[in-house]
Each structure stands twice: as C-alpha cells, then as structure tokens.
Amino acid sequence: MIDAIQSVGAFSTIRETEGAGPASSASLVMPGAGTAAPQAGSFAEVLGNMTKDAIRSMKSAEGTSLQAIRGEANTREVVDAVMSAEQSLQTAIAIRDKVVTAYLEIARMQI
C-alpha cells in the first residue's frame, strides 16, 4: 500500500533566497537530551527528512503487521510499530496544517 509513494517532491520547490534576511541563513537546531543537536542546511531539507522518516515508519508498521499475520511477529511488536507510525502521521499532519495556515496568512497580506 505505502510502496505507491515514490518520492517526496512537495517540498522540492522550496528554495532558500540569498539575502532575504536572517531567517534564510539560519540553520534549524533540534534540542537534544544533553548532547550536541544535529543541524540541517535548510527548512526544505528538514521537512523532506521528516516526511521520509514518516513514510519509513509507516512502511515499517505495515511490514510488522504483515509479519504478524504470517505468525512471525508478536502483538507487542505490531502495537509498538503501529503506534509509532500513528505518531509520525499525526506530527506530519500538524506540520502540514501549520504550513498551510502560514501560507494563507501570507496570501492575505496587503502589499
């Protein structure tokens, strides 16, 4: 089912504009638990990586579910995988909603 998703091209049109202000050159930092936080080059890369991770999580949950049907995985593994995939999907939906809301706010601005 999920293998039908071939590529994540929705964010490929987002590009950083040079000289657009301090936000364009700032790198995003995710807080870590006392360790050095990973840095990404651009907002588009972060969104792309998050999308790929969500798809990977959903594929993993689907694979674990199929293993359980064949009797190769226990119920606990299936529940963990499906809950992880659900959390990834809910996060992706929340981020999508925020991006759409921001786009609509920008579109309503008067020039």
Side-chain angles (χ1 to χ4, degrees), residues 89-104:
L89 182 61
Q90 292 298 324
T91 303
I93 289 170
I95 292 171
R96 180 211 55 196
D97 291 345
K98 291 291 184 179
V99 169
V100 169
T101 301
Y103 173 79
L104 292 174

Side-chain angles (χ1 to χ4, degrees), residues 10-92:
F11 300 110
S12 63
T13 59
I14 299 174
R15 294 189 181 113
E16 284 188 288
T17 306
E18 292 183 22
S24 66
S25 62
S27 61
L28 298 175
V29 178
M30 300 185 73
T35 60
Q39 294 185 1
S42 70
F43 184 66
E45 288 176 9
V46 171
L47 290 178
N49 289 338
M50 287 177 58
T51 305
K52 289 176 186 176
D53 289 343
I55 291 170
R56 188 177 311 118
S57 175
M58 293 175 67
K59 285 182 180 182
S60 173
E62 183 181 21
T64 305
S65 298
L66 291 174
Q67 287 177 347
I69 290 172
R70 290 189 300 253
E72 299 171 359
N74 63 24
T75 307
R76 175 70 179 190
E77 293 171 352
V78 174
V79 170
D80 287 343
V82 170
M83 288 181 71
S84 174
E86 181 182 9
Q87 184 178 13
S88 296
L89 182 61
Q90 292 298 324
T91 303

